[in-house]
């Protein structure tokens, strides 16, 4: 069996040896407490020493060590503890006594022997290897598994043997299952993909270079690029349906399948060729094919969702121009009227231009200006407005709508090839799930596919609305086939966004039920899941509603009673609340912290990274992607160059070329195999963990941890399906939003990249649920991060959601039917529920089981909240779960708004925390300075790796600041000076970077002392 090493030799040694302790730690660990508490007696002094040492070590590491491994300093400490005067040799601590003590120590601590639990341990390892976890992660998961069940920890070799055996065994079973399922012909097809062809230029499924060309899907959406993508996809499609039955016969998880596929994507052809086992190579190839098929189904769907709305928007603009310019073929009278209207508007515009010229002119006195303007504006004939109204009155207002509709649908049909060339063939290759989709649209799609896009008069039209249907047929009843296709494309796009059309092979466009904990698992283990998610208080909907009726009623009372004493709250004439929020003392982000850090230093960024790397050991987390081969960690120079190249947006190839002794190829290899989102998240987590252990950061926090999140827009300068147009942010370019989370100690603890077409609200819960270091009590966002559903989910999961909502006075306040608005009016309340706005208890009652199922799914991290909400939010018109979550959110939102109106400190805390996230954006721009602060990578995964590197740099600087200041404070003897510095820090921000040199250093030690050019030859040269 091939042994897998997932720890370095130094890590293994540390794991298998007793811990190194200080004198202070020994006093806590090695005691006679257990001997006295349990009246233990020992015949020999050495056995007493051995027991104390074993008990101390077990208390720390939950494992046993052999006597020869006991540290000499620990032995001497226990000898002194027992006041033993004669010499002692630990070798006298015999095996019989040692084994008896192990059994006794386990009993006293309530632990079990590992040998009794080994079978369950092996079963857990076999279960874990079916996931995509790396062996090192499996190792730590197994450690947690043993600790949770109070089982002694064995030596490293036990973990290594069990995990190696489980991995090799599972892979062997997978290979056998696939080999059994494959026909001889299918094996030959796979094998041919691994053989170099005689003609490398020939494009076919038998060309191994094709695998390389298929690794990275095309991101462009021009017709040419889409055709190229489809040509690649047709090959993948054939292979997918050929080999999908084989992979479905196995017990492989989607995560593990993705691992094999991504490994093949990362690997060079020579690395793949180096795998000696042909059956394992087949497994990798099939995983790659299945993965690519699913990935491209989502990407093609993205193209449809981008291109179809754009075509309709462009058509509306064309029609608007046609309507005003009268380019349509109408009768002469209508032409004349529209022409008159256009001339009136142009004449009015010319008149106003003359008025403006008179006003700004220096050639006239004021009285002359008035006279000339009067002559222009008050002529004897009717005013422009009167003329315009007269012309409009001659046109039937209903007919205007008809004319515009006719223009619109005519233009849709006329220009259909623009959209046909982009999405026509895509519709034919998308695999929709008929079991979870609208049957009418499925019927139309199947017809379209069967006819290969060649529509006849018998095409199904049930999916077309009555309003649109009348434009499909002419007076003779002939179907406008071009218009039919365009409307079909639009309805497909709308149904996908609405969740009533779902893909069969997809990560992003499945039905909502497929994202939640499965019905089978939920029905069989509901109570256990609710308990694990700590949601027992939500088990009964009636109890929940009764409790919150009282809470909401009490909050209405408290808010209204406090109006008279609240100088920052006024009720306007319209009955709506008006609030002002006094500013807290401005935080000095420039001078305070810099004064403490020292304004005369200008530290190279590489020095900061080096210091933090050695302090936190973050270099250890950059492990190779491979599961079954142990690779050495990256060298420091390569690690720093890659972090800076990505995090400062310099670019990896450029960074390799401008860095001495590294090279672009070496750096690209390092990033490809060692830089993953998971590794970078773990590196950031280690930095945050050390900050959490420091005392200084606590001066910036109160009892509850307040966090916030916000998005920052960045251009994407190369084709990217994930990027979107936004004239407001990118002009005529495309971009993405880098969404970041920060706490009140300035720790950046989560990040993701989202499309600017998506609402940020759907991603708020991801950062709060999917980080392992920060447990937020209060979370704030701006209006973009707010939605009623986020209110409901966030508060239900135990985090007080406190956004800053624009136009808060126009937000609707709700109540329950049992506490109607009139009851509050009779009590003289000024802040009241909106008229008719009552919580729908019926929908909550009927959907409560699904609500709790969704909450458990998110809390237990089965699926990211953004994946669920991005689909669920599209269901707004029909999905009852969406409606129930909105009602739940309205309860929490109303309670929050009532508090927001009455609690000035709450509003101030929200503003203060949102200012931190704004400051972090400035910090980000200082770090991400390269390439005009534009992303030059196309996929979301690449963009997130760059963003995580930027966070790593920011967090490293923040930690360095904390460490430097903490060390400085520890050496100050004067209490007055100490208090002065603490006061400065409280009024400033540790998120300070003016003392860091982000841009590198210049080397002026130039070797050549004269010009290298032969100027004489150059001047004599003639073109």
């Amino acid at each position: 069996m091939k042994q897998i090493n997932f720890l370095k030799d130094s890590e293994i040694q540390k794991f298998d040896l007793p811990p190194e302790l200080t004198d202070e730690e020994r006093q806590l660990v090695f005691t006679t407490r257990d001997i006295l508490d349990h009246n233990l007696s020992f015949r020999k002094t050495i056995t007493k020493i051995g027991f104390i040492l074993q008990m101390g070590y077990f208390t720390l590491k939950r494992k046993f060590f052999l006597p020869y491994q006991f540290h000499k300093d620990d032995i001497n400490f226990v000898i002194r503890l027992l006041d033993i005067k004669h010499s002692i040799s630990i070798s006298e601590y015999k095996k019989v006594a040692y084994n008896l003590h192990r059994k006794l120590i386990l009993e006293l601590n309530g632990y079990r022997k590992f040998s009794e639990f080994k079978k369950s341990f092996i079963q857990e390892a076999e279960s874990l290897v079916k996931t995509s976890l790396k062996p090192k992660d499996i190792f730590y998961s197994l450690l947690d598994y043993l600790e949770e069940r109070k089982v002694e920890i064995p030596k490293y070799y036990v973990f290594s043997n069990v995990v190696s055996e489980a991995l090799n065994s599972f892979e062997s079973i997978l290979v056998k299952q696939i080999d059994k399922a494959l026909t001889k012909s299918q094996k030959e097809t796979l094998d041919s993909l691994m053989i170099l062809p005689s003609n490398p230029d020939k494009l076919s499924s038998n060309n191994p270079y094709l695998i390389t060309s298929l690794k990275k899907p095309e991101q462009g959406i021009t017709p040419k690029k889409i055709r190229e993508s489809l040509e690649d996809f047709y090959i993948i499609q054939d292979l997918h349906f050929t080999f999908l039955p084989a992979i479905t016969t196995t017990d492989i998880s989607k995560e593990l399948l993705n691992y094999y596929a991504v490994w093949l994507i990362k690997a060079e052809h020579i690395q793949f060729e180096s795998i000696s086992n042909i059956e394992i190579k087949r497994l990798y190839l099939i995983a790659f094919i299945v993965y690519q098929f699913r990935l491209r189904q989502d990407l093609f769907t993205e193209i449809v969702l981008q291109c179809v709305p754009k075509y309709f928007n462009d058509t509306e603009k064309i029609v608007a121009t046609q309507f005003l310019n009268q380019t349509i073929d109408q009768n002469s009278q209508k032409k004349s009227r529209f022409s008159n209207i256009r001339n009136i508007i142009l004449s009015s515009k010319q008149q106003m231009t003359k008025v403006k010229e008179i006003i700004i002119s220096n050639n006239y006195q004021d009285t002359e200006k008035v006279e000339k303007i009067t002559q222009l504006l008050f002529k004897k004939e009717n005013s422009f407005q009167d003329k315009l109204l007269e012309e409009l009155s001659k046109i039937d207002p209903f007919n205007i709508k008809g004319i515009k509709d006719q223009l619109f649908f005519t233009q849709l049909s006329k220009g259909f090839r623009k959209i046909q060339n982009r999405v026509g063939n895509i519709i034919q290759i998308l695999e929709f799930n008929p079991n979870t989709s609208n049957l009418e649209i499925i019927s139309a799609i199947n017809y379209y596919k069967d006819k290969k896009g060649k529509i006849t008069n018998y095409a199904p039209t049930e999916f077309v609305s009555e309003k649109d249907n009348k434009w499909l047929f002419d007076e003779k009843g002939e179907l406008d086939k071009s218009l039919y296709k365009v409307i079909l494309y639009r309805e497909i796009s709308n149904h996908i966004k609405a969740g009533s059309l779902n893909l069969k092979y997809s990560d992003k466009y499945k039905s909502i039920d497929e994202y939640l904990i499965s019905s089978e698992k939920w029905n069989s283990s509901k109570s256990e899941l609710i308990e694990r998610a700590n949601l027992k208080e939500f088990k009964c909907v009636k109890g929940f509603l009764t409790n919150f009726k009282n809470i909401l009623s009490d909050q209405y009372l408290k808010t209204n009673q406090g109006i008279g004493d609240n100088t920052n709250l006024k009720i306007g004439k319209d009955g709506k609340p008006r609030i002002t929020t006094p500013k807290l003392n401005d935080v000095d982000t420039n001078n305070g912290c810099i004064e403490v850090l020292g304004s005369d230093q200008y530290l190279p960024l590489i020095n900061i990274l080096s210091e933090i790397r050695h302090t936190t050991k973050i270099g250890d987390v950059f492990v190779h992607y491979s599961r079954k081969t142990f690779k050495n960690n990256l060298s420091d120079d390569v690690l720093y160059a890659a972090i800076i190249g990505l995090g400062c947006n310099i670019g990896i190839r450029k960074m390799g070329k401008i860095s001495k002794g590294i090279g672009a190829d070496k750096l690209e290899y390092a990033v490809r195999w060692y830089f993953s989102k998971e590794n970078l998240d773990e590196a950031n987590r280690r930095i945050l963990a050390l900050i959490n252990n420091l005392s200084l950061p606590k001066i910036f926090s109160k009892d509850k941890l307040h966090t916030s999140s916000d998005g920052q827009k960045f251009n994407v300068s190369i084709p990217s399906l994930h990027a979107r147009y936004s004239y407001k942010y990118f002009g005529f370019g495309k971009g993405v939003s880098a969404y970041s989370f920060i706490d009140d100690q300035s720790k950046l603890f989560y990040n993701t990249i989202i499309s600017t077409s998506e609402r940020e609200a759907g991603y708020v819960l991801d950062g709060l649920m999917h980080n392992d270091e920060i447990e937020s009590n209060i979370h704030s966002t701006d209006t973009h991060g707010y939605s009623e559903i986020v209110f409901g989910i966030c508060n239900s999961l135990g985090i007080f959601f406190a956004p800053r909502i624009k136009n808060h006075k126009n937000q609707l306040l709700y109540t329950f039917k049992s506490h109607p608005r009139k009851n509050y009016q009779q009590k003289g309340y000024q802040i009241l529920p909106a008229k008719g706005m009552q919580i729908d208890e019926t929908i909550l009652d009927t959907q409560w089981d699904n609500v709790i199922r969704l909450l458990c799914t998110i809390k237990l991290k089965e699926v990211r909240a953004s994946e669920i909400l991005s689909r669920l939010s599209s269901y707004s018109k029909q999905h009852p779960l969406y409606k129930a979550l909105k009602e739940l959110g309205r309860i929490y939102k109303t309670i929050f708004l009532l508090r927001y109106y009455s609690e000035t400190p709450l509003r101030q805390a929200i503003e203060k925390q949102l200012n931190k996230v704004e400051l972090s954006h400035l910090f980000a721009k200082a770090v991400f300075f390269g390439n005009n602060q534009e992303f030059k990578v196309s996929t979301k995964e690449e963009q997130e790796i760059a963003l995580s590197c930027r966070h790593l740099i920011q967090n490293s600087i923040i930690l360095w600041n904390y460490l430097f200041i903490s060390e400085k404070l520890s050496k100050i003897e004067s209490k007055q000076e100490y208090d002065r510095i603490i006061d400065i820090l409280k009024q400033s921000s540790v998120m300070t970077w003016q003392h860091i040199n982000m841009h590198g250093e210049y080397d002026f030690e130039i070797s050549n002392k004269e010009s290298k050019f032969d100027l004489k030859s150059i001047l004599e040269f003639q073109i």
Side-chain angles (χ1 to χ4, degrees), residues 225 453 486 493 778 861 880 891 1010 1014:
K225 294 296 183 183
V486 173
S493 174
I778 306 171
K861 303 180 183 180
I891 298 171
E1010 56 185 34
D1014 184 350

Side-chain angles (χ1 to χ4, degrees), residues 62-85:
R62 303 303 181 192
K63 61 186 302 187
F64 296 106
F65 304 93
L66 294 171
Y68 77 87
Q69 295 175 310
F70 296 172
H71 294 306
K72 187 174 181 180
D73 289 342
D74 297 337
I75 297 169
N76 292 335
F77 176 85
V78 175
I79 289 172
R80 292 194 301 272
L81 174 70
L82 298 176
D83 197 25
I84 297 170
K85 304 299 183 184

Side-chain angles (χ1 to χ4, degrees), residues 239-263:
L239 293 170
H240 175 263
F241 287 112
T242 299
F243 298 110
L244 182 63
I247 206 75
T248 54
T249 63
T250 70
D251 194 23
I252 190 171
S253 65
K254 190 183 84 171
E255 292 76 19
L256 185 56
L257 184 143
N258 289 353
Y259 163 79
Y260 287 128
V262 173
W263 186 94

Side-chain angles (χ1 to χ4, degrees), residues 548-570:
F548 272 86
K549 285 175 185 178
N550 295 329
I551 292 173
L552 187 55
S553 179
D554 291 345
Q555 192 59 56
Y556 270 114
L557 172 65
K558 185 177 180 180
T559 299
N560 280 281
Q561 282 183 340
I563 290 176
D565 299 326
N566 191 345
T567 58
N568 298 311
L569 172 62
K570 304 293 181 187

Side-chain angles (χ1 to χ4, degrees), residues 182-289:
L182 292 174
T183 65
K184 182 180 179 181
S185 173
Q186 289 172 336
K187 291 177 184 177
E188 289 173 353
T189 300
L190 286 172
D191 294 348
S192 66
L193 290 170
M194 309 174 203
I195 301 171
L196 287 172
S198 55
N199 179 9
D201 298 325
K202 185 180 179 183
L203 188 65
S204 72
S205 58
N206 294 331
N207 188 339
Y209 294 109
L210 179 65
I211 297 297
T212 301
S213 71
L214 295 177
K215 287 182 178 182
K216 194 168 182 180
E218 178 61 55
Q219 297 289 315
I221 58 172
T222 62
K224 180 182 177 182
K225 294 296 183 183
I226 292 172
R227 282 196 300 273
E228 291 173 359
S229 295
L230 284 167
E231 286 172 5
D232 289 345
F233 181 79
Y234 293 140
I235 299 170
I236 293 172
Q237 186 180 46
D238 290 341
L239 293 170
H240 175 263
F241 287 112
T242 299
F243 298 110
L244 182 63
I247 206 75
T248 54
T249 63
T250 70
D251 194 23
I252 190 171
S253 65
K254 190 183 84 171
E255 292 76 19
L256 185 56
L257 184 143
N258 289 353
Y259 163 79
Y260 287 128
V262 173
W263 186 94
L264 186 53
I265 291 169
K266 289 177 179 291
E268 300 289 343
H269 189 71
I270 192 171
Q271 290 173 290
F272 182 60
E273 280 295 304
S274 66
I275 300 174
S276 57
N277 190 325
I278 188 71
E279 294 172 338
I280 291 178
K281 291 168 79 171
R282 290 173 188 157
L283 169 62
Y284 275 79
L285 276 172
I286 294 174
F288 171 81
I289 292 162

Side-chain angles (χ1 to χ4, degrees), residues 53 63 74 94 161 217 298 317 374 396 415 496 514 663 702 787 797:
L53 287 165
K63 61 186 302 187
D74 297 337
K94 299 301 181 182
N161 287 342
D298 282 346
K317 292 175 184 177
T374 302
D396 178 4
I496 291 172
E514 293 177 89
K702 295 185 178 180
S787 73
L797 296 179

Side-chain angles (χ1 to χ4, degrees), residues 600-633:
D600 58 339
Q601 60 178 340
Y602 204 57
L603 302 168
L605 177 58
I606 190 172
N607 289 18
I608 300 293
L609 293 176
S610 176
E611 193 71 53
I612 299 308
R613 180 253 184 278
H614 293 296
T615 306
T616 62
K617 309 298 181 188
I618 59 171
D620 296 344
V621 310
F622 289 89
V623 294
H624 197 277
Y625 184 78
S626 176
R627 289 179 104 207
K628 297 187 66 177
T629 55
F630 183 80
K631 303 281 185 179
N632 291 328
N633 287 350

